[in-house]
Amino acid sequence: MVHAVSPSVKLRNHGYDLPSMQVDLRQSWRIGDVEIPSRLVLAPMAGVSVQAFRRQGRRFGAGLVCSEMVSCAGLSYKNERTLGYLRIAADEHPLAVQIFGSEPKVMAEAARMVADAGADIVDINFGCPVRKVTKTGAGAHCLEEPARACAIVEAVANATLLPVSVKMRRGLANGSRVCLEIGPKLVEAGAASLTLHPRSAKQMYTGEADHSLTAELVQLVDVPVIASGDIVSRAKAQTVLATTGAEAVMVGRAAQGNPWALSQIMGEQDEPSREDVVAELVLFIRETVRELGEQRATGFLKKFYGWYLGRGRFPKPFKQELVQLATLDEVEQRLFAAAPGARFVLERLEDELPQGDEILLDLPISIYGGG
């Protein structure tokens, strides 16, 4: 039985200045024995959270970064594309690798592979609302089967010495409060942290995240709770932290093509120049090619052009022009033509990039060459 702690005590323990209700986002905290240097977490996002995205997030202030969700079945069958998600760079730490599935034994095997790959935290996805995931019994569907969900957490916690975190939605249906019923049970089963995105699976990303549920969850468990959903500004981050007592906030869609959102949440208010935007985009292109190979990267990157170049930074037709170019070299040249000074910014960025070995499992070389 977990006993509730008063809101004022929790806020004080979490580093709040109670008179101003502000929290120092640069204060470190822990999930298990993993120290996290800031209270900003970069969300796991399918089709987005590649290594280049995670490394960028660390540079812009995220204390913890997360991989996109990795299929435990794909790991079990040694699928090359899935195994490629376990490529981890030295400068990503601390890093959570997120796995999803519906069978405790298979999830436990996946957790062991995640630990061998060098992750710091194993994150379990009980939040994905996408039909192709929930229909297999994974993602948000697990919230409707508490016994299975707890068995998965227990199996994963017993399979590795790494701390286990769980990311979940409020439930499948609108108005559901299942997260409050299952949260304490997941902690009892071995979860060292919980992340709540308080929308239903049915909502997907519509409406607003109901962080009153986050506040209730904080009172029910004695592990760190991360607040996810609608964290788009420093003001919103501070409001959610102050009103929920959560340990940290998770930023997702706001950081897509806009790493400056992370630094602004951390208190740096400068808007990027056109040169800054182009330099970061070109660096992201180059890092993604290194990771995925040019063939895969070419298609993958197209959605990022609009994300980087939008928000009034460049004329709308410019993004469409880039999408239609045949090669990434042509994309780079067109970007530099639009902001010539970006070449000098890029040189500085590349000089400042941390150097370090990557942890590579004994995997087929084709994974690392985009095969």
Side-chain angles (χ1 to χ4, degrees), residues 5 32 81 87 114 153 156 168-169 198 204 244 271 327 370:
V5 180
R81 182 69 61 88
R87 179 180 188 170
V114 166
V153 171
V156 169
M168 58 183 178
R169 291 241 170 177
M204 298 291 286
T244 66
E271 284 292 326
T327 69

Side-chain angles (χ1 to χ4, degrees), residues 22-42:
Q22 294 285 302
V23 66
D24 181 3
L25 285 161
R26 298 182 185 277
Q27 185 179 53
S28 66
W29 58 291
R30 289 179 176 273
I31 295 178
D33 59 358
V34 176
E35 184 170 3
I36 301 168
S38 82
R39 295 179 182 266
L40 184 60
V41 180
L42 187 62

Side-chain angles (χ1 to χ4, degrees), residues 61-347:
L64 175 66
V65 296
C66 308
S67 75
E68 59 186 299
M69 62 182 188
V70 182
S71 166
C72 68
L75 293 179
S76 177
Y77 288 116
K78 306 295 190 291
N79 176 274
E80 286 195 16
R81 182 69 61 88
T82 307
L83 288 169
Y85 292 136
L86 300 186
R87 179 180 188 170
I88 297 172
D91 61 326
E92 293 188 69
H93 300 288
L95 167 72
V97 170
Q98 185 181 83
I99 57 176
F100 75 96
S102 59
E103 297 299 328
K105 288 184 179 179
V106 182
M107 289 285 277
E109 179 186 352
R112 285 188 283 268
M113 295 180 71
V114 166
D116 289 343
D120 301 289
I121 296 165
V122 181
D123 187 62
I124 299 173
N125 183 308
F126 287 164
C128 181
V130 177
R131 174 66 180 158
K132 70 178 181 180
V133 172
T134 59
K135 73 179 182 182
T136 68
H141 179 83
C142 288
L143 300 176
E144 300 299 311
E145 295 188 60
R148 180 186 292 272
C150 290
I152 288 172
V153 171
E154 184 175 10
V156 169
N158 288 337
T160 174
L161 295 177
L162 299 182
V164 175
S165 59
V166 177
K167 187 172 189 290
M168 58 183 178
R169 291 241 170 177
R170 67 182 298 165
L172 288 182
N174 291 344
S176 173
R177 293 171 60 83
V178 166
C179 61
L180 302 181
E181 299 168 15
I182 199 172
K185 295 176 183 177
L186 297 177
V187 172
E188 189 174 333
S193 176
L194 300 175
T195 299
L196 178 61
H197 184 152
R199 282 184 172 92
S200 68
K202 184 177 180 180
Q203 274 183 278
M204 298 291 286
Y205 297 98
T206 63
E208 293 185 2
D210 181 5
H211 283 293
S212 67
L213 284 175
T214 310
E216 289 187 66
L217 182 63
V218 167
Q219 296 304 308
L220 291 172
V221 299
D222 59 357
V223 299
V225 173
I226 302 169
S228 175
D230 300 342
I231 308 299
V232 297
S233 66
R234 181 173 176 83
K236 182 68 173 182
Q238 289 286 4
T239 297
V240 169
L241 287 169
T243 57
T244 66
E247 200 78 29
V249 289
M250 178 174 282
V251 177
R253 289 172 294 160
Q256 292 176 345
N258 190 30
W260 299 275
L262 302 176
S263 59
Q264 287 165 1
I265 288 171
M266 292 299 293
E268 298 174 15
Q269 299 302 319
D270 291 343
E271 284 292 326
S273 66
R274 286 165 65 103
E275 289 73 20
D276 291 331
V277 171
V278 167
E280 282 292 344
L281 176 52
V282 172
L283 179 61
F284 186 78
I285 289 170
R286 292 180 180 181
E287 289 288 289
T288 303
V289 169
R290 181 188 61 79
E291 179 182 355
L292 301 181
E294 185 153 358
Q295 183 177 354
R296 279 180 61 196
T298 299
F300 172 85
L301 286 164
K302 288 184 177 180
K303 58 180 173 282
F304 284 88
Y305 301 155
W307 291 340
Y308 273 92
L309 304 175
R311 303 175 178 85
R313 294 168 180 165
F314 287 84
K316 287 184 179 180
F318 186 47
K319 173 253 183 182
Q320 195 58 35
E321 182 183 341
L322 295 183
V323 168
Q324 293 172 351
L325 294 175
T327 69
L328 293 177
D329 280 343
E330 290 177 280
V331 171
E332 276 199 25
Q333 294 308 312
R334 184 65 188 90
L335 286 167
F336 284 137
R343 292 182 183 274
F344 303 105
V345 179
L346 178 63
E347 288 178 7

